[in-house]
Amino acid sequence: MKVSEQMSKIPRGDDGVPEDEVPKGAPEDDTVQQHARKLNLVGSSQLTKAVAESVREGLRDQFELTQAQLNAAVRAVGSRLMLRLKAQSKAVRGVPKAAFLKEVQADKDRIDAARETAKRELDAMLEKLKLGQEQNSLREAELVRESQATGQVEDEQLAGRIAAIFASSDGDSAKIREKITELALGSMQGQREKSIDAQMAEHRDQVDGFERRIAKLTNSLELTEEELKKMAKAKNIDLGVGSIYRSVQGLSGEDNDYETKKELMSSIFAANLALQKGKTA
Amino acid sequence: MSDQDYNQGTTDDNSANTATESTPSTSSGSQSSSPGKKESGVLYLGIDLGTSRTSVTASNGVRETVASFVGYPKDVVAKKLLKADVLFGSDAIEKRLSLNLYRPLGEGVLKTSLEGGSEDGDYEGNVRAAKDLIAEIIRRAQPRKDELVYAVIGCPAEASFKNREAILDAARASVDSVMLCSEPFSVAYGLEMLDDVLVIDIGAGTTDLCRMHGTMPEEADQVTMTWAGDSIDAELTRLLQERYPEAQFSIHMVKSIKEKFGAVGELLDAAVVELPVNGKPTPFDITNEIREACQIIIGPIVEGLGKLVGSFDPEFQQKLKDRVLLAGGGSQIKGLDKAIEAEMHRILGSGHVIRVEEPMYGGANGALKIAHDMPAEYWEQLK
């Protein structure tokens, strides 16, 4: 059996949607309403009561028990049933409503944000598309005008040539056919070449654009690399090389010619102090 | 640690990082770090601010030299191409066509611009270039941000007050305290030759002569002349143009040739260089031109030495002539010590010239030693 045949046998609602795939939480859906009408609503107390009666009747039919024993057995089954139901319902009831709503709200916010982003992108794309369409329309109109102008000239030229062929053929139809065929083929070849030239020019423009873009990006990359080199170099410079001295030195009494050197240092200092004072004066 | 230990490091040698603390001085009486946030160390810098090259020697073991050229992009296009606001040294020379190029210390002092700026009124541009150059050389010394930085800058012996002021201003932006001293003095101090010595410091813009006699040199003890490296370049350029008019070259090419082949005397190696002739590299033997060009500074130097010797106590004149210290970038000219010695014998009757071992760092090493020996209270007062 083909897949399409299998699909056709699946029971479908009025709108053609398979009944098993209809979302159960969609209240506006007619199919769901039909399913809902088939459900019987049973409360927990009713369920407990029904179970208790069923157990009681079952035990009475199968065993000879006193009324007290029957009551005890029914109570035991009822309490165990409630415990089991409570245990199984904990997972659902464990999520507080506020937290659940918060999560839902967060999801909603995310979806809204994504929708906004998508909307902006779509708007931008539409804007671009509109701009492109306008440009294309303008270009198209321009091309049509050019084509019409060129076509008119070419048509006139062609008509002139055909007239010339007729005028020079002396009524020889075979010769006329041959010459007109030659003329038509030449004209068609010319049109094809023009079309190819136009396409080539468009491709060249695109290639030029790409080359300019690549040149810009290459230049930008080079500048970035240069900056990185400078930064690396500057980092090295900043480190510097430490001096062997941790404190100011000065002459030592053990130096050769200590007294002479001391006098010389004093003289150099005095000259520099005078220079500095002269500058500040 | 000996006094010279910290002069032996190189840029690549980071052994100073692991050096132990130096024994504190007992004489200055002020060993405590200065108040303020920088208390984790003291970095001393010795800087030789030269016309041609600027060198720094630091107490962290770093030693650096940069050609004293500063270039600023001419326009936005150049700035984007060079990817920098300012270029220094050989980078600036190499890219000079895109730059306003400054050599801020012409003849050892702040001067007008070379290229790009107005020739007669760009003092401000040179001050800015000098500031940037000093900041750059200090940056290359790799100071740590948490250290006190004390610098001594060697400047030409006869630099004007205004120039010294400008150099101080430039340095203050990058260090905690700074002092100036004369270049020839710092060379002698670095070698502990404080008494009875004549120092010849041949730079690019100036040659400084200094008489050391145990005290701070005074004006009468110093002679500054413009017969120096640039003079040799100019003379070599003139000779090449005169004798090989078809050869094409720039002043930078001439300078490179001089640095490679510079020599005086009879034992010269042949100096064959390739110079373009209408675009084609062509070999030229310029041995004689180099010798002639390099010799032009000998006469003026010995004449200056004669003045310093002649005006000194006659009893100690012989001692001075027997201890002539040849330093600076120009001292690298082969045979120059012997040539000066020979000229001294001819003019002054005798002379003994000693060439310093490290001509490129002699001034910076001396300035670093001065910075080290300077008492703490002096640094504090100049902050």
Side-chain angles (χ1 to χ4, degrees):
Chain A
M1 186 181 286
K2 292 178 181 175
V3 174
S4 57
E5 290 171 349
Q6 287 178 332
M7 293 295 286
S8 65
K9 290 186 179 298
I10 295 172
R12 291 170 187 276
D14 298 340
D15 54 358
V17 177
E19 289 179 1
D20 291 343
E21 290 177 20
V22 174
K24 293 187 171 65
E28 300 302 321
D29 192 303
D30 293 338
T31 310
V32 174
Q33 284 178 351
Q34 279 182 345
H35 277 267
R37 278 196 294 272
K38 291 176 186 172
L39 289 174
N40 291 318
L41 295 175
V42 180
S44 60
S45 57
Q46 285 176 298
L47 182 64
T48 309
K49 195 175 175 183
V51 169
E53 287 303 320
S54 302
V55 170
R56 189 187 300 278
E57 285 171 8
L59 288 173
R60 192 184 295 145
D61 293 345
Q62 298 297 324
F63 306 103
E64 289 181 4
L65 298 173
T66 63
Q67 191 60 36
Q69 285 173 323
L70 277 174
N71 289 341
V74 168
R75 275 198 303 274
V77 169
S79 63
R80 280 187 174 82
L81 180 66
M82 288 308 293
L83 284 172
R84 282 180 191 280
L85 288 173
K86 279 181 184 175
Q88 286 172 4
S89 67
K90 266 180 186 173
V92 178
R93 292 167 59 211
V95 182
K97 186 179 178 182
F100 177 71
L101 289 175
K102 198 175 172 183
E103 281 182 13
V104 170
Q105 187 59 43
D107 286 340
K108 185 176 179 294
D109 290 344
R110 277 197 293 274
I111 291 164
D112 286 344
R115 186 190 294 130
E116 279 300 312
T117 307
K119 190 172 178 298
R120 280 197 297 273
E121 286 176 357
L122 185 62
D123 288 343
M125 286 169 73
L126 285 172
E127 193 65 30
K128 276 186 184 175
L129 184 63
K130 193 180 169 188
L131 193 65
Q133 282 172 343
E134 285 173 358
Q135 286 174 344
N136 282 342
S137 299
L138 289 171
R139 178 69 185 147
E140 198 176 333
E142 194 181 340
L143 285 172
V144 167
R145 277 197 303 277
E146 284 175 7
S147 176
Q148 281 173 346
T150 313
Q152 194 176 352
V153 173
E154 287 174 350
D155 289 350
E156 286 169 1
Q157 287 175 346
L158 192 61
R161 285 181 189 174
I162 290 168
I165 289 168
F166 276 102
S168 63
S169 63
D170 300 329
D172 185 348
S173 60
K175 198 174 175 182
I176 291 169
R177 189 188 308 120
E178 185 187 343
K179 285 193 173 179
I180 287 182
T181 305
E182 189 182 336
L183 187 64
L185 288 174
S187 177
M188 284 169 66
Q189 178 64 24
Q191 292 298 326
R192 275 200 295 270
E193 283 174 357
K194 278 183 184 174
S195 172
I196 290 168
D197 285 347
Q199 284 181 354
M200 291 290 285
E202 193 178 341
H203 288 159
R204 273 198 298 274
D205 286 346
Q206 284 180 345
V207 170
D208 284 349
F210 286 135
E211 282 177 349
R212 280 198 297 274
R213 182 79 181 135
I214 288 167
K216 270 188 175 180
L217 288 170
T218 307
N219 190 33
S220 173
L221 184 64
E222 282 174 357
L223 287 173
T224 308
E225 283 176 348
E226 193 61 34
E227 287 300 317
L228 282 171
K229 279 180 191 171
K230 279 183 186 173
M231 284 171 69
K233 197 176 171 186
K235 193 178 174 187
N236 287 338
I237 291 164
D238 285 343
L239 292 174
V241 179
S243 174
I244 59 172
Y245 301 121
R246 302 265 66 83
S247 60
V248 182
Q249 301 299 295
L251 278 168
S252 164
E254 296 168 1
D255 279 346
N256 294 331
D257 302 319
Y258 169 71
E259 289 299 332
T260 305
K261 287 179 180 174
K262 192 177 169 186
E263 284 300 316
L264 290 171
M265 293 300 109
S266 179
S267 299
I268 293 170
F269 166 70
N272 278 277
L273 191 63
L275 185 62
Q276 195 178 65
K277 282 183 177 171
K279 182 176 158 42
T280 53
Chain B
M1 182 177 288
S2 75
D3 289 332
Q4 296 300 321
D5 282 350
Y6 53 78
N7 291 341
Q8 304 306 316
T10 65
T11 304
D12 298 328
D13 178 8
N14 292 324
S15 59
N17 290 328
T18 54
T20 53
E21 229 178 90
S22 169
T23 307
S25 157
T26 54
S27 61
S28 68
S30 54
Q31 299 307 313
S32 61
S33 296
S34 71
K37 58 183 177 181
K38 296 181 175 182
E39 290 185 340
S40 66
V42 179
L43 180 69
Y44 292 116
L45 302 179
I47 297 172
D48 180 357
L49 194 60
T51 306
S52 177
R53 291 186 185 84
T54 296
S55 304
V56 63
T57 310
S59 65
N60 59 5
V62 172
R63 300 207 306 181
E64 281 282 338
T65 294
V66 61
S68 299
F69 285 89
V70 183
Y72 302 96
K74 282 181 175 172
D75 49 35
V76 179
V77 177
K79 187 177 173 181
K80 194 168 182 183
L81 182 74
L82 299 168
K83 292 170 184 165
D85 294 330
V86 56
L87 269 68
F88 299 95
S90 54
D91 289 343
I93 296 169
E94 194 182 326
K95 301 283 192 314
R96 63 184 180 275
L97 296 179
S98 307
L99 300 169
N100 289 323
L101 190 67
Y102 291 88
R103 191 186 183 191
L105 296 155
E107 297 179 359
V109 293
L110 288 170
K111 62 178 239 333
T112 57
S113 68
L114 286 180
E115 298 167 36
S118 61
E119 191 61 31
D120 57 351
D122 204 7
Y123 178 77
E124 292 301 322
N126 277 294
V127 170
R128 179 191 172 201
K131 283 184 179 180
D132 286 342
L133 179 64
I134 291 170
E136 173 67 8
I137 199 70
I138 291 169
R139 188 189 67 77
R140 292 191 184 196
Q142 302 176 54
R144 285 175 53 149
K145 285 185 176 175
D146 56 351
E147 286 180 336
L148 282 167
V149 182
Y150 291 154
V152 169
I153 300 177
C155 60
E158 292 189 349
S160 69
F161 179 83
K162 196 173 181 183
N163 275 286
R164 287 169 184 262
E165 204 175 63
I167 293 167
L168 273 182
D169 277 347
R172 275 208 188 90
S174 305
V175 301
D176 293 281
S177 193
V178 58
M179 293 191 201
L180 303 183
C181 73
S182 86
E183 278 169 12
F185 171 78
S186 66
V187 171
Y189 193 89
L191 297 171
E192 301 226 344
M193 296 173 80
L194 306 176
D195 204 8
D196 300 331
V197 61
L198 283 168
V199 182
I200 308 169
D201 182 13
I202 306 173
T206 60
T207 293
D208 291 314
L209 308 178
C210 180
R211 183 172 63 197
M212 298 286 295
H213 48 89
T215 60
M216 197 67 193
E218 296 173 353
E219 200 173 330
D221 295 315
Q222 300 182 78
V223 172
T224 295
M225 58 183 72
T226 54
W227 292 96
D230 287 349
S231 313
I232 297 173
D233 297 343
E235 178 64 7
L236 184 54
T237 301
R238 189 187 69 75
L239 291 171
L240 292 177
Q241 283 171 341
E242 186 180 286
R243 296 177 192 176
Y244 311 106
E246 72 279 19
Q248 297 170 307
F249 49 84
S250 69
I251 189 70
H252 298 291
M253 292 163 74
V254 170
K255 192 176 172 65
S256 297
I257 291 168
K258 177 198 71 179
E259 287 173 356
K260 186 174 180 184
F261 296 103
V264 290
E266 297 301 322
L267 299 172
L268 279 177
D269 294 331
V272 180
V273 297
E274 279 197 341
L275 298 172
V277 176
N278 295 323
K280 183 185 176 186
T282 309
F284 291 92
D285 184 345
I286 58 168
T287 312
N288 289 332
E289 286 74 22
I290 285 181
R291 178 171 54 194
E292 287 178 42
C294 290
Q295 276 176 340
I296 63 163
I297 60 170
I298 296 173
I301 285 174
V302 174
E303 191 183 333
L305 291 177
K307 282 181 188 171
L308 291 176
V309 172
S311 58
F312 199 51
D313 186 331
E315 197 178 336
F316 300 100
Q317 286 184 6
Q318 189 58 44
K319 274 190 173 182
L320 274 182
K321 287 191 285 183
D322 287 344
R323 290 224 299 176
V324 178
L325 194 62
L326 183 59
S331 70
Q332 294 175 98
I333 295 172
K334 290 171 195 158
L336 187 62
D337 50 345
K338 297 298 172 198
I340 291 173
E341 212 170 85
E343 187 68 4
M344 285 181 73
H345 277 275
R346 195 175 72 82
I347 303 292
L348 304 173
S350 67
H352 179 60
V353 179
I354 309 156
R355 191 196 294 265
V356 299
E357 285 186 8
E358 287 194 302
M360 299 293 288
Y361 289 101
N365 287 345
L368 178 63
K369 186 160 170 52
I370 293 168
H372 172 275
D373 289 350
M374 192 64 67
E377 60 267 28
Y378 291 169
W379 286 119
E380 287 293 327
Q381 287 185 58
L382 289 174
K383 272 186 178 174

